[in-house]
Amino acid sequence: MTTLALTINGRAYGPMDVRDDLTMNDFLREFLGLTGTKFGCGAAQCLSCAVIVDNPDGTSFTKPTCVVAAVSFHGKKIRTVEGHAKDGELTALQKSFIEHFAFQCGYCTAGFLNEGQVLLERLAKNPVARADLEKTIAQELDGHLCRCTGYIKYHEAVRDVILADPKHYLI
Ligand code: FES
Ligand code: FES
């Protein structure tokens, strides 16, 4: 057993003792009831289980949870799909996913949403040229697998959020 304390969606959890072999995915879903984070391949290949990790320097990245021990998140600040909407108001990216019918079964959606949000936040700090936008989106979402093959709609949804506010995201 190891002590775990972390912040999820702005709320502190722990300290609590958890098994060393407890995965982060099981911790979120089974211990905390945060079932928006999915379990797909279970082999760090599809990223349906990815959550956002917020670094102290203000940067963020996504990380799978299926094969990663919960205790490795000790002291971290993370965001899950449950943390995006505020006071019942969906984010621009969530609305765009819906408007584009980006998801079908929705199993991969939390991972794509987290990755897309990280991209938006990164571009807000480091905008890219319009000519590089498609490549940037493709690179960011690369690695996320959608069994329903909704890739193009996801890309379009992310792109539309960026193009709706070009001064914010583009050079
Ligand atoms: S379930 Fe974690 S990467 Fe597929
Ligand atoms: S919407 Fe079904 S796996 Fe992506």
Side-chain angles (χ1 to χ4, degrees), residues 79-144:
R79 284 177 278 166
T80 68
V81 66
E82 289 90 349
H84 286 252
K86 297 285 183 279
D87 299 324
E89 178 73 15
L90 298 180
T91 64
L93 188 56
Q94 286 176 309
K95 290 176 183 171
S96 192
F97 275 20
I98 293 170
E99 287 162 5
H100 282 271
F101 297 101
F103 48 88
Q104 295 170 66
C105 79
Y107 215 81
C108 64
T109 306
F112 273 99
L113 182 70
N114 287 333
E115 200 71 61
Q117 187 63 36
V118 166
L119 174 61
L120 293 178
E121 293 169 11
R122 179 162 62 83
L123 292 183
K125 293 175 183 165
N126 297 296
V128 294
R130 173 66 180 92
D132 293 329
L133 182 57
E134 306 300 330
K135 181 178 66 179
T136 300
I137 294 171
Q139 286 174 340
E140 185 77 21
L141 299 183
D142 187 33
H144 286 262

Side-chain angles (χ1 to χ4, degrees), residues 39-42 44-49 64 66:
F39 182 89
C41 65
Q45 296 295 314
C46 74
L47 297 181
S48 67
C49 66
C66 61

